[in-house]
Coordinates of all heavy atoms in Angstrom, one line a residue:
M1 N 0.8 -1.2 0.0 CA 0.0 0.0 0.0 C 0.9 1.2 0.0 O 1.8 1.4 0.8 CB -0.9 0.0 1.3 CG -1.7 1.2 1.4 SD -2.9 1.0 2.8 CE -2.2 2.2 3.9
G2 N 0.7 2.1 -0.9 CA 1.4 3.4 -1.0 C 0.9 4.5 -0.1 O -0.3 4.4 0.3
R3 N 1.7 5.5 0.1 CA 1.3 6.6 0.9 C 1.5 7.9 0.1 O 2.5 7.9 -0.7 CB 2.0 6.7 2.2 CG 1.8 5.5 3.2 CD 2.5 5.7 4.5 NE 4.0 5.6 4.2 CZ 4.9 6.0 5.0 NH1 4.6 6.7 6.1 NH2 6.2 5.9 4.8
L4 N 0.7 8.9 0.3 CA 0.8 10.1 -0.4 C 0.5 11.3 0.5 O -0.5 11.2 1.3 CB -0.1 10.2 -1.6 CG -0.3 11.5 -2.3 CD1 1.0 11.8 -3.1 CD2 -1.5 11.5 -3.2
V5 N 1.3 12.3 0.5 CA 1.0 13.5 1.3 C 1.2 14.7 0.3 O 2.1 14.7 -0.5 CB 1.9 13.7 2.5 CG1 3.4 13.9 2.2 CG2 1.5 14.8 3.4
R6 N 0.3 15.6 0.4 CA 0.4 16.9 -0.4 C 0.8 18.0 0.6 O 0.5 18.0 1.7 CB -0.9 17.2 -1.0 CG -1.3 16.0 -2.0 CD -2.6 16.3 -2.7 NE -2.6 17.5 -3.4 CZ -3.7 18.2 -3.9 NH1 -4.8 17.7 -3.6 NH2 -3.6 19.3 -4.5
L7 N 1.5 19.0 0.0 CA 2.0 20.2 0.8 C 1.5 21.4 0.0 O 1.7 21.5 -1.2 CB 3.5 20.2 0.9 CG 4.1 19.1 1.8 CD1 4.7 18.0 0.9 CD2 5.1 19.6 2.7
W8 N 1.1 22.4 0.8 CA 0.6 23.7 0.2 C 1.3 24.8 1.0 O 1.2 24.8 2.2 CB -0.9 23.9 0.3 CG -1.6 22.9 -0.4 CD1 -2.1 22.9 -1.7 CD2 -2.1 21.6 0.2 NE1 -2.8 21.7 -2.0 CE2 -2.8 20.9 -0.8 CE3 -2.1 21.0 1.4 CZ2 -3.4 19.7 -0.6 CZ3 -2.6 19.8 1.6 CH2 -3.3 19.2 0.6
K9 N 2.0 25.7 0.3 CA 2.7 26.8 1.0 C 1.7 27.7 1.7 O 0.8 28.1 1.1 CB 3.6 27.6 0.1 CG 4.5 28.5 0.8 CD 5.3 29.5 -0.1 CE 6.2 28.7 -1.0 NZ 7.0 29.6 -1.9
A10 N 2.0 27.9 3.0 CA 1.1 28.7 3.8 C 1.7 30.1 4.1 O 1.0 31.0 4.5 CB 0.7 28.0 5.1
G11 N 3.0 30.2 4.0 CA 3.7 31.4 4.3 C 5.2 31.3 4.2 O 5.7 30.2 4.3
E12 N 5.8 32.4 3.9 CA 7.3 32.4 3.7 C 7.9 33.7 4.0 O 7.3 34.8 3.7 CB 7.6 32.0 2.2 CG 9.1 31.9 1.9 CD 9.3 31.4 0.5 OE1 8.4 31.4 -0.3 OE2 10.5 31.1 0.2
T13 N 9.0 33.7 4.7 CA 9.8 34.9 5.0 C 11.2 34.6 4.5 O 11.5 33.5 3.9 CB 9.9 35.2 6.5 OG1 10.6 34.1 7.2 CG2 8.5 35.3 7.1
D14 N 12.2 35.5 4.7 CA 13.5 35.3 4.3 C 14.2 34.1 5.0 O 15.1 33.5 4.5 CB 14.4 36.5 4.5 CG 14.0 37.6 3.6 OD1 13.4 37.4 2.5 OD2 14.3 38.8 3.9
T15 N 13.7 33.8 6.2 CA 14.4 32.7 7.0 C 13.6 31.5 7.2 O 14.1 30.5 7.7 CB 14.8 33.3 8.4 OG1 13.6 33.8 9.0 CG2 15.7 34.5 8.2
R16 N 12.3 31.5 6.9 CA 11.4 30.4 7.3 C 10.3 30.2 6.3 O 9.8 31.2 5.7 CB 10.8 30.7 8.7 CG 9.9 29.7 9.2 CD 9.4 30.2 10.6 NE 8.2 29.7 11.0 CZ 7.9 28.9 12.0 NH1 8.9 28.5 12.8 NH2 6.7 28.5 12.3
V17 N 9.8 29.0 6.1 CA 8.7 28.7 5.3 C 7.8 27.7 6.0 O 8.2 26.8 6.7 CB 9.2 28.1 3.9 CG1 9.9 26.8 4.1 CG2 8.0 28.0 2.9
E18 N 6.5 27.9 5.8 CA 5.5 27.1 6.5 C 4.6 26.4 5.4 O 4.3 27.1 4.4 CB 4.5 27.9 7.4 CG 5.2 28.2 8.7 CD 4.2 28.7 9.7 OE1 3.0 28.6 9.5 OE2 4.7 29.3 10.7
Y19 N 4.3 25.2 5.6 CA 3.5 24.4 4.7 C 2.3 23.7 5.4 O 2.5 23.3 6.5 CB 4.3 23.3 4.0 CG 5.0 23.8 2.8 CD1 6.3 24.3 2.9 CD2 4.5 23.8 1.5 CE1 7.0 24.8 1.8 CE2 5.2 24.3 0.4 CZ 6.4 24.7 0.5 OH 7.1 25.2 -0.5
L20 N 1.2 23.7 4.8 CA 0.1 22.8 5.2 C 0.4 21.5 4.6 O 0.9 21.4 3.5 CB -1.3 23.4 4.7 CG -1.6 24.8 5.1 CD1 -2.9 25.2 4.3 CD2 -1.8 24.9 6.6
Y21 N 0.1 20.4 5.3 CA 0.3 19.1 4.8 C -0.8 18.2 5.1 O -1.6 18.4 6.1 CB 1.6 18.5 5.4 CG 1.5 18.1 6.8 CD1 1.1 16.8 7.2 CD2 1.6 19.0 7.9 CE1 1.0 16.4 8.5 CE2 1.5 18.6 9.2 CZ 1.2 17.3 9.5 OH 1.0 17.0 10.8
G22 N -1.1 17.2 4.3 CA -2.1 16.2 4.5 C -2.7 15.6 3.2 O -2.1 15.8 2.2
P23 N -3.8 14.8 3.4 CA -4.3 14.2 2.2 C -5.1 15.1 1.3 O -5.2 15.0 0.1 CB -5.2 13.1 2.8 CG -5.6 13.6 4.1 CD -4.4 14.4 4.6
T24 N -5.8 16.2 1.9 CA -6.6 17.1 1.2 C -6.4 18.5 1.8 O -5.9 18.6 3.0 CB -8.1 16.8 1.2 OG1 -8.5 17.0 2.6 CG2 -8.4 15.4 0.7
E25 N -6.8 19.6 1.1 CA -6.7 20.9 1.7 C -7.6 21.1 2.9 O -7.3 21.9 3.7 CB -7.0 22.0 0.6 CG -5.8 22.1 -0.4 CD -6.0 23.3 -1.3 OE1 -5.8 24.4 -0.9 OE2 -6.4 23.0 -2.5
E26 N -8.7 20.4 2.9 CA -9.6 20.5 4.0 C -9.1 19.7 5.3 O -9.5 20.1 6.4 CB -11.0 20.0 3.6 CG -11.7 20.8 2.5 CD -11.1 20.5 1.1 OE1 -10.7 19.3 0.9 OE2 -11.1 21.4 0.3
H27 N -8.4 18.7 5.1 CA -7.9 17.9 6.2 C -6.3 18.0 6.3 O -5.6 17.3 5.6 CB -8.3 16.4 6.0 CG -8.1 15.6 7.2 ND1 -7.9 14.2 7.1 CD2 -7.9 15.9 8.6 CE1 -7.7 13.7 8.3 NE2 -7.7 14.7 9.2
R28 N -5.8 19.0 7.1 CA -4.4 19.2 7.0 C -3.8 19.7 8.3 O -4.6 20.2 9.2 CB -4.2 20.3 6.0 CG -4.7 21.7 6.4 CD -5.1 22.5 5.3 NE -5.5 23.9 5.7 CZ -6.7 24.2 6.1 NH1 -7.7 23.3 6.2 NH2 -7.0 25.5 6.4
G29 N -2.5 19.5 8.4 CA -1.8 20.0 9.6 C -0.8 21.1 9.0 O -0.9 21.5 7.9
R30 N 0.1 21.5 9.9 CA 1.0 22.6 9.4 C 2.4 22.3 10.0 O 2.6 22.0 11.2 CB 0.5 24.0 10.0 CG 1.4 25.1 9.5 CD 0.9 26.4 10.1 NE -0.4 26.8 9.7 CZ -0.7 27.8 8.8 NH1 0.3 28.6 8.4 NH2 -1.9 28.1 8.5
I31 N 3.4 22.4 9.1 CA 4.8 22.3 9.6 C 5.6 23.5 9.1 O 5.2 24.2 8.1 CB 5.5 21.0 9.1 CG1 5.4 20.8 7.6 CG2 4.9 19.8 9.8 CD1 6.1 19.6 7.0
A32 N 6.8 23.7 9.7 CA 7.6 24.9 9.3 C 9.1 24.4 9.2 O 9.5 23.5 9.8 CB 7.5 26.0 10.4
C33 N 9.8 25.1 8.3 CA 11.2 24.8 8.1 C 12.0 26.1 8.1 O 11.7 27.1 7.5 CB 11.3 24.1 6.7 SG 13.0 23.7 6.3
T34 N 13.1 26.0 8.8 CA 14.1 27.1 8.8 C 15.0 26.9 7.6 O 15.6 25.9 7.4 CB 15.0 27.1 10.1 OG1 14.1 27.1 11.2 CG2 16.0 28.2 10.1
K35 N 15.0 27.9 6.7 CA 15.7 27.8 5.5 C 17.2 27.6 5.6 O 17.8 26.9 4.8 CB 15.4 29.1 4.6 CG 14.0 29.2 4.1 CD 13.9 30.5 3.3 CE 12.5 30.6 2.7 NZ 12.4 31.8 1.9
T36 N 17.8 28.2 6.6 CA 19.3 28.1 6.7 C 19.8 26.7 7.1 O 20.8 26.2 6.5 CB 19.8 29.1 7.7 OG1 19.2 29.0 8.9 CG2 19.6 30.5 7.1
D37 N 19.2 26.1 8.1 CA 19.7 24.8 8.6 C 18.8 23.6 8.4 O 19.1 22.5 8.7 CB 20.1 24.9 10.1 CG 18.9 25.2 11.0 OD1 17.7 25.2 10.5 OD2 19.1 25.4 12.2
G38 N 17.6 23.9 7.8 CA 16.7 22.8 7.5 C 15.9 22.2 8.7 O 15.3 21.1 8.7
S39 N 16.0 22.9 9.9 CA 15.3 22.4 11.0 C 13.8 22.5 10.8 O 13.3 23.5 10.3 CB 15.7 23.1 12.3 OG 15.4 24.4 12.3
I40 N 13.1 21.4 11.1 CA 11.6 21.3 10.9 C 10.9 21.2 12.2 O 11.3 20.5 13.1 CB 11.3 20.1 10.0 CG1 11.9 20.3 8.6 CG2 9.8 20.0 9.8 CD1 11.7 19.2 7.6
S41 N 9.8 22.0 12.3 CA 9.0 21.9 13.5 C 7.5 21.8 13.2 O 7.0 22.3 12.2 CB 9.2 23.2 14.4 OG 8.9 24.3 13.6
L42 N 6.8 21.0 14.0 CA 5.4 20.9 13.9 C 4.7 22.1 14.4 O 5.0 22.5 15.6 CB 4.9 19.6 14.6 CG 3.4 19.4 14.7 CD1 2.9 19.1 13.3 CD2 3.1 18.3 15.6
V43 N 3.9 22.7 13.7 CA 3.1 23.9 14.1 C 1.7 23.4 14.6 O 1.2 23.9 15.6 CB 3.0 24.9 13.0 CG1 2.1 26.1 13.4 CG2 4.4 25.4 12.5
E44 N 1.1 22.6 13.8 CA -0.2 22.1 14.1 C -0.4 20.7 13.5 O -0.2 20.5 12.3 CB -1.3 23.0 13.5 CG -2.7 22.7 13.7 CD -3.6 23.7 13.0 OE1 -3.2 24.9 12.9 OE2 -4.7 23.3 12.6
P45 N -0.7 19.7 14.3 CA -0.9 18.3 13.8 C -2.2 18.2 13.0 O -3.1 19.0 13.1 CB -1.0 17.4 15.1 CG -1.5 18.3 16.1 CD -1.0 19.7 15.8
L46 N -2.2 17.1 12.2 CA -3.4 16.8 11.4 C -4.5 16.4 12.4 O -4.4 15.6 13.2 CB -3.1 15.6 10.5 CG -3.3 15.8 9.0 CD1 -2.4 14.8 8.3 CD2 -4.7 15.8 8.6
P47 N -5.7 17.1 12.3 CA -6.8 16.8 13.2 C -7.5 15.5 12.9 O -7.5 15.1 11.8 CB -7.7 18.0 13.0 CG -7.5 18.5 11.6 CD -6.0 18.2 11.3
G48 N -8.1 15.0 13.9 CA -9.0 13.8 13.7 C -8.4 12.5 13.6 O -9.1 11.5 13.5
I49 N -7.0 12.4 13.7 CA -6.4 11.1 13.8 C -5.3 11.1 14.9 O -5.0 12.2 15.4 CB -5.7 10.7 12.4 CG1 -4.6 11.8 12.1 CG2 -6.7 10.6 11.3 CD1 -3.8 11.4 10.8
S50 N -4.9 10.0 15.3 CA -3.9 9.9 16.4 C -2.5 10.4 16.0 O -2.2 10.5 14.8 CB -3.7 8.4 16.8 OG -3.0 7.7 15.9
E51 N -1.7 10.8 16.9 CA -0.4 11.3 16.7 C 0.4 10.3 15.9 O 1.1 10.6 15.0 CB 0.3 11.5 18.1 CG 1.8 11.5 18.1 CD 2.5 12.7 17.4 OE1 1.8 13.7 17.3 OE2 3.6 12.6 17.0
Q52 N 0.3 9.0 16.2 CA 1.0 7.9 15.5 C 0.6 7.8 14.0 O 1.4 7.7 13.2 CB 0.8 6.6 16.2 CG 1.7 5.5 15.6 CD 1.5 4.2 16.4 OE1 0.6 4.0 17.2 NE2 2.4 3.3 16.2
E53 N -0.7 7.9 13.8 CA -1.2 7.8 12.4 C -0.8 9.1 11.6 O -0.3 9.0 10.5 CB -2.7 7.7 12.4 CG -3.3 6.4 12.8 CD -4.8 6.4 13.0 OE1 -5.3 7.4 13.5 OE2 -5.4 5.4 12.6
D54 N -0.9 10.2 12.2 CA -0.4 11.5 11.6 C 1.0 11.3 11.2 O 1.4 11.6 10.0 CB -0.6 12.7 12.5 CG -0.1 14.0 12.0 OD1 0.1 14.1 10.7 OD2 0.2 14.9 12.8
R55 N 1.9 10.9 12.1 CA 3.3 10.8 11.9 C 3.6 9.8 10.8 O 4.4 10.0 9.8 CB 4.0 10.5 13.1 CG 5.5 10.5 13.0 CD 6.2 10.5 14.3 NE 7.6 11.0 14.0 CZ 8.0 12.1 14.4 NH1 7.3 13.0 15.0 NH2 9.2 12.5 14.1
F56 N 3.0 8.6 10.9 CA 3.3 7.5 10.0 C 2.8 7.8 8.5 O 3.5 7.6 7.6 CB 2.8 6.2 10.5 CG 3.0 5.0 9.5 CD1 4.3 4.4 9.5 CD2 2.0 4.6 8.7 CE1 4.5 3.4 8.6 CE2 2.3 3.5 7.9 CZ 3.5 2.9 7.8
F57 N 1.6 8.2 8.4 CA 0.9 8.3 7.1 C 1.3 9.7 6.4 O 1.3 9.7 5.2 CB -0.6 8.2 7.2 CG -1.0 6.8 7.5 CD1 -1.5 6.4 8.7 CD2 -0.8 5.8 6.5 CE1 -1.9 5.1 9.0 CE2 -1.2 4.5 6.8 CZ -1.8 4.1 8.0
Y58 N 1.5 10.7 7.2 CA 1.6 12.0 6.5 C 2.8 12.8 6.9 O 3.6 13.3 6.1 CB 0.3 12.9 6.8 CG -0.9 12.2 6.3 CD1 -1.8 11.6 7.2 CD2 -1.2 12.1 5.0 CE1 -2.9 10.9 6.8 CE2 -2.3 11.4 4.5 CZ -3.2 10.8 5.5 OH -4.3 10.2 5.0
R59 N 3.0 13.1 8.2 CA 4.1 14.0 8.7 C 5.5 13.6 8.3 O 6.3 14.4 7.8 CB 4.0 14.3 10.2 CG 4.8 15.5 10.6 CD 4.8 15.8 12.0 NE 3.6 15.4 12.7 CZ 3.5 14.9 13.9 NH1 4.6 14.8 14.6 NH2 2.4 14.6 14.5
D60 N 5.8 12.3 8.5 CA 7.2 11.9 8.1 C 7.4 12.1 6.6 O 8.5 12.6 6.3 CB 7.4 10.4 8.5 CG 7.6 10.2 9.9 OD1 7.8 11.2 10.7 OD2 7.6 9.0 10.4
L61 N 6.5 11.8 5.8 CA 6.6 12.1 4.3 C 6.8 13.6 4.0 O 7.6 14.0 3.2 CB 5.5 11.5 3.5 CG 5.4 10.0 3.4 CD1 4.2 9.6 2.6 CD2 6.7 9.5 2.6
A62 N 5.9 14.4 4.7 CA 6.0 15.8 4.5 C 7.3 16.4 4.9 O 7.9 17.2 4.2 CB 4.8 16.5 5.3
M63 N 7.9 15.9 6.0 CA 9.2 16.3 6.5 C 10.3 16.0 5.5 O 11.2 16.8 5.2 CB 9.5 15.8 7.8 CG 8.6 16.3 8.9 SD 8.8 15.5 10.5 CE 10.4 16.0 11.0
V64 N 10.2 14.8 4.9 CA 11.2 14.4 3.9 C 11.2 15.3 2.7 O 12.2 15.8 2.2 CB 11.1 12.9 3.5 CG1 11.9 12.5 2.3 CG2 11.4 12.0 4.7
R65 N 10.0 15.5 2.2 CA 9.8 16.4 1.1 C 10.3 17.8 1.4 O 11.0 18.4 0.5 CB 8.3 16.4 0.6 CG 8.1 17.2 -0.6 CD 8.8 16.6 -1.8 NE 8.5 17.3 -3.0 CZ 9.4 18.0 -3.7 NH1 10.6 18.1 -3.4 NH2 9.0 18.7 -4.8
L66 N 10.0 18.3 2.5 CA 10.4 19.7 2.9 C 11.9 19.8 3.0 O 12.5 20.8 2.6 CB 9.7 20.1 4.2 CG 9.8 21.5 4.6 CD1 9.4 22.5 3.5 CD2 8.9 21.7 5.8
L67 N 12.6 18.7 3.5 CA 14.0 18.7 3.6 C 14.6 18.7 2.2 O 15.6 19.4 1.9 CB 14.5 17.5 4.4 CG 14.5 17.7 5.9 CD1 14.9 16.4 6.5 CD2 15.5 18.8 6.3
K68 N 14.0 18.0 1.3 CA 14.5 18.0 -0.1 C 14.4 19.4 -0.7 O 15.3 19.8 -1.5 CB 13.7 17.0 -1.0 CG 14.1 15.5 -0.7 CD 13.3 14.6 -1.6 CE 13.8 13.2 -1.3 NZ 13.3 12.3 -2.4
M69 N 13.3 20.0 -0.5 CA 13.1 21.4 -1.0 C 14.1 22.4 -0.4 O 14.7 23.2 -1.1 CB 11.6 21.9 -0.7 CG 10.6 21.1 -1.5 SD 8.9 21.7 -1.4 CE 8.5 21.4 0.3
Q70 N 14.4 22.2 0.9 CA 15.3 23.1 1.6 C 16.7 22.9 1.0 O 17.4 23.9 0.8 CB 15.3 22.8 3.1 CG 16.2 23.8 3.9 CD 17.6 23.3 4.1 OE1 17.9 22.1 4.0 NE2 18.5 24.2 4.4
R71 N 17.1 21.7 0.8 CA 18.4 21.4 0.2 C 18.6 22.0 -1.2 O 19.6 22.4 -1.6 CB 18.7 19.9 0.2 CG 19.0 19.4 1.6 CD 19.3 17.9 1.6 NE 19.4 17.5 3.0 CZ 18.9 16.4 3.5 NH1 18.1 15.6 2.7 NH2 19.0 16.0 4.7
A72 N 17.5 22.0 -1.9 CA 17.5 22.5 -3.3 C 17.3 24.0 -3.3 O 17.6 24.7 -4.3 CB 16.4 21.9 -4.1
G73 N 16.9 24.6 -2.2 CA 16.6 26.0 -2.1 C 15.4 26.4 -2.9 O 15.3 27.6 -3.3
D74 N 14.5 25.5 -3.1 CA 13.3 25.8 -3.9 C 12.1 25.4 -3.1 O 11.9 24.3 -2.7 CB 13.4 25.0 -5.2 CG 12.2 25.2 -6.1 OD1 11.7 26.4 -6.1 OD2 11.8 24.3 -6.8
F75 N 11.2 26.4 -2.9 CA 10.0 26.2 -2.1 C 8.7 26.5 -3.0 O 8.2 27.6 -2.9 CB 10.0 27.0 -0.8 CG 11.2 26.7 0.1 CD1 12.3 27.5 0.0 CD2 11.1 25.7 0.9 CE1 13.4 27.2 0.8 CE2 12.2 25.4 1.8 CZ 13.3 26.1 1.7
P76 N 8.3 25.5 -3.7 CA 7.1 25.8 -4.6 C 5.8 26.0 -3.8 O 5.7 25.6 -2.6 CB 7.0 24.5 -5.5 CG 7.7 23.4 -4.6 CD 8.7 24.1 -3.8
D77 N 4.8 26.5 -4.5 CA 3.5 26.7 -3.8 C 2.8 25.4 -3.5 O 2.1 25.3 -2.5 CB 2.6 27.5 -4.8 CG 3.0 29.0 -4.9 OD1 3.8 29.4 -4.0 OD2 2.7 29.6 -5.9
E78 N 3.0 24.4 -4.3 CA 2.5 23.0 -4.0 C 3.5 22.0 -4.3 O 4.3 22.1 -5.2 CB 1.2 22.8 -4.9 CG 0.1 23.6 -4.5 CD -1.2 23.2 -5.3 OE1 -1.3 22.0 -5.7 OE2 -2.0 24.1 -5.5
A79 N 3.5 20.9 -3.5 CA 4.4 19.8 -3.7 C 3.7 18.5 -3.2 O 2.7 18.6 -2.5 CB 5.7 20.0 -3.0
Y80 N 4.3 17.4 -3.5 CA 3.8 16.1 -2.9 C 4.9 15.1 -2.7 O 6.0 15.3 -3.2 CB 2.7 15.5 -3.8 CG 3.2 15.0 -5.1 CD1 3.6 13.6 -5.2 CD2 3.3 15.8 -6.2 CE1 4.1 13.1 -6.4 CE2 3.8 15.3 -7.4 CZ 4.2 14.0 -7.5 OH 4.7 13.5 -8.7
M81 N 4.7 14.1 -1.9 CA 5.6 13.0 -1.7 C 4.8 11.7 -1.6 O 3.8 11.7 -0.9 CB 6.4 13.3 -0.4 CG 7.5 12.3 -0.1 SD 8.9 12.6 -1.1 CE 10.0 11.4 -0.4
A82 N 5.3 10.7 -2.3 CA 4.6 9.4 -2.3 C 5.6 8.3 -2.1 O 6.8 8.5 -2.4 CB 3.9 9.3 -3.6
T83 N 5.1 7.2 -1.6 CA 5.9 6.0 -1.5 C 5.3 4.9 -2.3 O 4.2 4.9 -2.6 CB 6.0 5.5 0.0 OG1 4.7 5.1 0.4 CG2 6.7 6.5 0.9

């Protein structure tokens, strides 16, 4: 069974970018990344599911995709990551 997470840019400054993440725009959490060092922090978890489900099905994939974007220095308005 594959997994898919979508990301939508929610805000960006010179030093930080925030993305909504989840299966749909209506059902989403929020993560942030510091552009200089790639540190990622959870701003808001995905509602309606357990912490473990959020992390396994969506957040871990979103974090991997966000790190790839940070390393490339490219933060598009929308992105996705699938397994």
Side-chain angles (χ1 to χ4, degrees):
M1 177 173 111
R3 295 181 293 158
L4 171 74
V5 66
R6 297 179 61 197
L7 295 101
W8 302 270
K9 190 186 296 181
E12 183 175 11
T13 67
D14 290 341
T15 59
R16 177 179 155 117
V17 63
E18 285 192 13
Y19 277 89
L20 302 172
Y21 72 94
T24 67
E25 286 189 76
E26 295 78 30
H27 189 204
R28 68 209 187 276
R30 184 183 293 251
I31 57 176
C33 178
T34 304
K35 291 180 176 181
T36 54
D37 65 6
S39 63
I40 296 178
S41 58
L42 175 66
V43 177
E44 182 181 326
L46 240 157
I49 61 174
S50 72
E51 156 74 22
Q52 186 175 15
E53 290 171 319
D54 174 22
R55 184 167 200 105
F56 179 77
F57 289 110
Y58 303 105
R59 193 179 333 143
D60 284 350
L61 286 177
M63 290 172 71
V64 167
R65 181 66 174 114
L66 194 48
L67 279 174
K68 287 182 176 192
M69 292 187 294
Q70 185 270 337
R71 287 182 184 133
D74 182 32
F75 299 97
D77 290 339
E78 292 187 26
Y80 71 92
M81 183 77 176
T83 62

